[in-house]
């Protein structure tokens, strides 16, 4: 008599790559809505451009490598990379900036190392850093926050800016853009003003910058949703927030006129996006419990150091990539003791 024998695995995994990526996309929706509200429909154009380019690039590379295309496309990893890069770009960035960045992210940062699961660096952040060091002007030209600009752009104006770099009549490019809160603070401090004097400007809000603080709160909401759904663990976001809070709190206590308070650094720039959506990349982050905490704290400290003493006003992308380098070492030195062996 033959008995049917089921092959392993006998316990089906709860999460699949497709489900994880889909949940991440859903969690990004509040942040995208906030970005569109404060910075215009150019955000959606960037997202659509990036997603189409990412899917085409992914398909082409998979065909060249002789790999099944649909299996990889339906895991949604390329879509997540595209959305993360697109929402990191200025809402009026020229179309070629978005396309070039996502091509670099998918082809070089992802598939050159073997594809999903083998890339040592976060592809979206590699694409972002490539664009930032190569094309600094369009990468730092953020449109004015809704309500602070001298003119309001309709969809046609935004499309002409993105696809033809054509400025609306009777408008000046400088009038359409505005310094980010981090950039404005850095500039004012270099002019020997105090933090309090710098934060009296129109671009600053209650927590960080007008508009920016609401975008950060939306990312925080999406990040908490991911934790509730058990898509991400709490260790990396908490470590990152703790890291940036501790070092900014110490500096603020030493000299409040020279260093902004911790709450400003938490809700300015890409801190919340980085904490919940970028640093938590399961492929490139540390995997042990202690390693994830140290990994997150390392990113938080690096973000603050580069923001305050470095050459860039924000530093989430650079910090994540530097921490990616340290992830294997963190896993090695923090691996849990095997039962029955000495520590």
């Amino acid at each position: 008599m033959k008995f049917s024998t089921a092959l392993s695995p006998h316990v089906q995994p709860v999460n699949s790559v497709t489900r994880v990526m889909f949940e991440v996309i859903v969690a990004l929706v509040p942040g995208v809505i906030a970005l569109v509200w404060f910075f215009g429909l150019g955000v959606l154009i960037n997202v659509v451009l990036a997603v189409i380019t990412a899917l085409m690039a992914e398909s082409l590379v998979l065909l060249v490598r002789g790999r099944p295309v649909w299996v990889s496309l339906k895991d949604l990893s390329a879509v997540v990379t595209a959305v993360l890069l697109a929402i990191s770009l200025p809402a009026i960035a020229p179309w070629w900036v978005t396309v070039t960045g996502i091509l670099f992210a998918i082809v070089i940062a992802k598939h050159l190392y073997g594809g999903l699961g083998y890339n040592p660096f976060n592809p979206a952040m590699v694409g972002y850093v490539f664009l930032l060091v190569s094309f600094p002007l369009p990468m730092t030209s953020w449109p004015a926050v809704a309500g602070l600009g001298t003119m309001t752009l309709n969809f046609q104006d935004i499309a002409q800016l993105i696809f033809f770099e054509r400025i609306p009549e009777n408008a000046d490019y400088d009038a359409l853009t505005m310094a980010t809160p981090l950039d404005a603070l850095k500039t004012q401090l270099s002019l020997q003003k105090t933090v309090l004097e710098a934060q009296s400007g129109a671009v600053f809000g209650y927590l960080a910058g007008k508009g920016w603080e609401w975008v950060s709160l939306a990312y925080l909401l999406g990040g908490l949703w991911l934790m509730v759904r058990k898509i991400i663990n709490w260790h990396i976001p908490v470590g990152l927030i703790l890291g940036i809070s501790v070092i900014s709190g110490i500096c603020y206590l030493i000299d409040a006129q020279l260093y902004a308070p911790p709450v400003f650094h938490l809700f300015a720039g890409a801190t919340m996006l980085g904490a919940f959506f970028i640093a938590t990349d399961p492929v490139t982050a540390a995997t042990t419990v202690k390693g994830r905490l140290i990994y997150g704290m390392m990113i938080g400290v690096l973000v603050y150091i580069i923001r305050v003493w470095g050459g860039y006003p924000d530093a989430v992308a650079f910090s994540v990539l530097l921490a990616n380098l340290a992830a294997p070492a963190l896993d090695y030195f923090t691996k849990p003791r095997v039962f029955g062996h000495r520590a």
Side-chain angles (χ1 to χ4, degrees):
M1 178 179 292
K2 290 184 178 180
F3 295 95
S4 59
T5 304
L7 299 175
S8 62
H10 303 291
V11 178
Q12 294 298 321
V14 176
N15 286 331
S16 66
V17 175
T18 303
R19 175 178 176 261
V20 169
M21 296 298 171
F22 178 75
E23 296 271 6
V24 171
I25 293 170
V26 172
L28 282 169
V29 170
V32 173
I33 292 174
L35 275 172
V36 172
W37 180 270
F38 289 106
F39 296 100
L41 292 170
V43 176
L44 292 182
I45 296 177
N46 286 349
V47 169
V48 173
L49 264 178
V51 169
I52 293 174
T53 306
L55 293 177
M56 293 177 64
E58 180 105 336
S59 303
L60 184 61
V61 174
L62 288 169
L63 285 173
V64 171
R65 295 179 61 196
R67 301 292 179 88
V69 175
W70 176 242
V71 173
S72 296
L73 288 185
K74 73 177 184 180
D75 69 20
L76 299 178
S77 61
V79 176
V80 170
T81 298
V83 175
L84 288 175
L85 179 58
I87 61 178
S88 302
L89 302 178
I92 56 173
W95 68 270
W96 55 266
V97 168
T98 306
V99 171
T100 304
I102 199 64
L103 283 175
F104 196 88
I106 296 293
V107 178
I108 304 297
K110 183 178 179 181
H111 281 285
L112 199 62
Y113 291 95
L116 182 65
Y118 296 96
N119 49 292
F121 302 102
N122 186 299
M125 292 302 96
V126 172
Y128 181 86
V129 168
F130 166 71
L131 291 174
L132 187 62
V133 298
S134 303
F135 314 108
L137 182 59
M139 285 296 289
T140 52
S141 299
W142 276 88
V145 178
L148 295 182
T150 56
M151 65 177 298
T152 302
L153 299 178
N154 56 35
F155 182 77
Q156 184 179 358
D157 295 332
I158 294 171
Q160 287 191 341
L161 261 174
I162 290 176
F163 291 105
F164 305 106
E165 298 183 49
R166 189 178 301 158
I167 301 172
E169 293 183 4
N170 303 321
D172 182 67
Y173 195 76
D174 291 336
L176 302 177
T177 60
M178 179 174 285
T180 65
L182 286 170
D183 202 9
L185 177 65
K186 203 175 187 70
T187 302
Q188 293 299 313
L189 290 176
S190 68
L191 298 175
Q192 308 302 318
K193 291 188 177 181
T194 66
V195 171
L196 195 60
E197 291 172 338
Q199 290 185 325
S200 63
V203 71
F204 295 95
Y206 295 105
L207 301 175
K210 285 181 180 174
W212 291 95
E213 55 200 11
W214 288 104
V215 174
S216 293
L217 286 169
Y219 286 138
L220 173 61
L221 179 66
L224 294 176
W225 162 264
L226 288 180
M227 290 170 63
V228 170
R229 300 285 292 171
K230 300 187 183 304
I231 301 300
I232 62 173
N233 294 305
W234 59 269
H235 309 92
I236 292 176
V238 169
L240 195 155
I241 290 172
L242 192 62
I244 199 169
S245 298
V246 169
I247 188 172
S248 60
I250 292 172
C251 292
Y252 179 69
L253 290 174
I254 293 174
D255 190 347
Q257 293 187 341
L258 186 59
Y259 302 105
V263 69
F264 175 81
H265 286 284
L266 290 178
F267 291 96
T271 302
M272 290 299 169
L273 178 65
F276 290 97
F277 294 95
I278 297 173
T280 52
D281 177 12
V283 176
T284 58
T287 56
T288 65
V289 173
K290 289 181 182 176
R292 288 198 294 261
L293 273 171
I294 298 172
Y295 177 83
M297 292 181 70
M298 179 185 295
I299 294 175
V301 172
L302 285 172
V303 167
Y304 185 80
I305 289 174
I306 298 175
R307 276 183 183 177
V308 176
W309 296 291
Y312 290 93
D314 202 357
V316 170
F318 290 108
S319 303
V320 168
L321 295 181
L322 290 172
N324 288 162
L325 281 172
L330 290 175
D331 283 340
Y332 178 81
F333 288 109
T334 60
K335 58 185 175 185
R337 181 172 66 89
V338 178
F339 184 74
H341 287 252
R342 291 184 177 179

